[in-house]
Amino acid sequence: REEGGTLARLCLEAPLPPATMASLTPQPMSPRPTYEEVLRLRAASAKQSAEKMAAAPAAAAPANAPQPPPQPPHPPPPAAASAPAPSPPAVAPAPVAAPAKPVAEPAFTDAEVEVLRTPLAPSEWCGSELHERALAYMRSRRDAAVLADPSLAPTVEMASDLRLWRFLVATAFKGGDAASMYVEALRWRKRNGTDATRKDLRAANPSFFTARATSLE
């Protein structure tokens, strides 16, 4: 510690070189221009810029340079003969959906009926040739009945494969009897306003159908 203090003292007491002393000496600051001087300098600079811009065209083109002769005006193009306005394209009538090709009534053997009677979840019907054959015929008869009388159009739930399947089960998978019973059920629902009543009940009792309320209003 004693040696370090001695070294620090020697460094502080040693004289600095003249060049270093001159650089450390504060230099006198030039006075700041006044506001009037700033305005005067700006006006002079703007005047010089305007004079340069005015002299530039004169230097580029001498006054005695020959001027090109004036060009005659171009004659106006001849007026085109007025063509008749194009008639709007004819609107094609909306295509009418052709009735689907009727599906032949399926005939199931006793062994096939036993297979169809086996309880299966609807999600397991996919890929079953027997189930699809029975449901394809029911869908064909349903669509043909609605095409003949659009007022028989069923609700989404009534048109589902699950509803169609119930009529097949009720008739021991006799396709013709099941389809006739289903179409008659559509006519009965239309005569008695079943779908309209169901719609009104659902609108008046949303908590019963969606929130599992225990009573109807």
Side-chain angles (χ1 to χ4, degrees):
R1 291 178 60 185
E2 213 176 292
E3 292 176 359
T6 304
L7 182 60
R9 253 192 328 272
L10 291 174
C11 291
L12 291 175
E13 294 174 357
L16 294 174
T20 305
M21 290 296 295
S23 63
L24 294 177
T25 304
Q27 301 297 325
M29 297 180 63
S30 59
R32 297 181 62 182
T34 62
Y35 181 68
E36 290 77 7
E37 291 175 345
V38 171
L39 292 179
R40 203 162 42 248
L41 290 173
R42 287 183 180 177
S45 175
K47 183 178 179 181
Q48 290 179 0
S49 299
E51 291 175 353
K52 288 181 180 179
M53 292 179 64
N64 56 356
Q67 300 294 328
Q71 298 293 331
H74 294 284
S82 58
S87 57
V91 179
V96 179
K101 184 179 179 181
V103 179
E105 179 182 350
F108 300 108
T109 64
D110 293 342
E112 289 175 334
V113 170
E114 288 302 319
V115 173
L116 292 171
R117 287 183 182 276
T118 304
L120 285 178
S123 58
E124 299 178 7
W125 295 349
C126 182
S128 170
E129 187 271 337
L130 289 177
H131 289 76
E132 181 56 32
R133 188 149 44 108
L135 288 170
Y137 175 72
M138 293 292 291
R139 297 187 201 112
S140 173
R141 289 285 302 271
R142 174 199 63 198
D143 296 345
V146 173
L147 188 64
D149 185 0
S151 64
L152 296 180
T155 62
V156 175
E157 188 270 335
M158 187 66 183
S160 64
D161 286 351
L162 184 59
R163 276 300 187 105
L164 299 176
W165 190 258
R166 290 179 178 178
F167 286 89
L168 287 166
V169 173
T171 56
F173 295 94
K174 295 180 174 61
D177 295 344
S180 299
M181 185 184 295
Y182 175 80
V183 173
E184 184 57 35
L186 295 181
R187 295 194 182 101
W188 181 89
R189 294 171 73 91
K190 173 188 172 183
R191 286 194 304 269
N192 294 276
T194 304
D195 294 334
T197 303
R198 182 174 182 270
K199 182 179 179 181
D200 293 342
L201 277 174
R202 288 182 65 89
N205 301 272
S207 59
F208 180 84
F209 291 96
T210 59
R212 298 185 179 183
T214 57
S215 61
L216 292 172
E217 295 181 4

